[in-house]
Amino acid sequence: MAGVSLKCGDCGALLRSVEEAQQHAELTSHSNFSESTEAVLNLVCSSCGKPCRSKTLVFDDFEISFRCLSIQESDLHTKRTGHPEFVDKTSEAAKPINLESPNPTNAADGAPMDVDASGSGQSEEMVVPEVDKKLLEELEGMEFSTARATRALHCSGNTSLEAAVNWIVEHENDPDIDEMPMVPANSKNEPPKPSLTEEEKKMKLQELRERARKKKEEEERRMEREKEKERIRIGKELLEAKRIEEENERKRLIALRKAEKEEERRALEKVRKKLEEDKSTLPVKPVTKAEQMRECLRSLKKTHMNEDARVKKAFQTLFTYAGNVVKNPDEEKYRKIRLSNQAFQERVGGLKGGIEFLELCGFEKSADGEFLFMPRDKVDIVVLNTAGKELQSAIENPHFGVL
């Protein structure tokens, strides 16, 4: 099969003619070219008919030189226009490549010269294509440059203002859009079409601007929706992360409190066992008068633990009995208590331990059992003072008898 393209052995670019190969070599300094049976891709947009190639030479707007860039023109076209459908006409457009140089050297001065379509070796004059002057003026009136307006009219078939403006909107990012187009001098131009009226021109321009505005607003709304979705997604992720963190902290605190309670329970159990061991090995046996009095008062309070007011009154009454004897040791009336006295029974005699405490202070029951009496010779001020201290401690200490 005859070659239908030239392939660069250095970068793999497919080129449709010797002229393109020369331009490629000038731009890249590549020199290894060979015939290839692989045709240059020719995709045609189903919506607007624009041809697209897989690889092409483009201008670099930001540098003064050219660069050979591998660009998917179909993807770029879809991005600019939103046209996704293309028809593959590669096989229809493929033609055997002409390997003759398009720029033969002039024998006289060694300079290259152009050849015409017939291959006669004579240079072909290139001129600006003829376009509808009125349409050109109308486009210039819309503040388009002369080169851009001329190229738009020529490429859109020189048919109408709307077609030219549509072409400009679609190709506004083309690198050569503001370069004046050139065509062979002997090429034929289509006859100019009648131009629109001034009113029609304004309406068409307004329509195109409105269409572009709506398209831009729709794109902005779409982007805003995407941003909002992303914001909601991130917000949900943050809330879920916070919830998990709080749940883990709650579980940690519960486990910590549980461990503390368990430790406290073990400590109390240890103390309780220790106390029980002490009780079993060291029985409580008061050895002094003060200890006996203190134990008697504890027993009284524990026995009547639900009668705090009555117990407190009993302690105060006992304190009064002991104090009267200390102050008046010679007076018998302070050393003698009738057991059947109703006030005595209500305050001291009716409580278990009350009479026992008086006996520890030195009181004795009479032979007939009617009185508690302390003989004068048995009045012990030290014992009575000790009783007063123990009673005062029992009265003032709210935890007396509890521990």
Side-chain angles (χ1 to χ4, degrees), residues 289 292-293 296 355-363 383:
K289 184 71 73 172
Q292 291 177 353
M293 291 179 178
C296 182
I355 295 176
E356 288 81 352
F357 185 85
L358 290 171
E359 289 176 343
L360 289 172
C361 292
F363 286 91
V383 172

Side-chain angles (χ1 to χ4, degrees), residues 32 37 68:
N32 184 16
T37 57
C68 180

Side-chain angles (χ1 to χ4, degrees), residues 28-68:
T28 63
S29 299
H30 297 168
S31 59
N32 184 16
F33 297 94
S34 61
E35 257 188 292
S36 174
T37 57
E38 183 179 355
V40 177
L41 185 65
N42 183 21
L43 300 177
V44 179
C45 179
S46 302
S47 301
C48 64
K50 184 181 185 302
C52 297
R53 297 167 57 188
S54 61
K55 296 179 180 179
T56 185
L57 294 174
V58 298
F59 288 96
D60 186 350
D61 292 335
F62 304 101
E63 295 180 6
I64 301 177
S65 61
F66 290 100
R67 294 188 303 169
C68 180

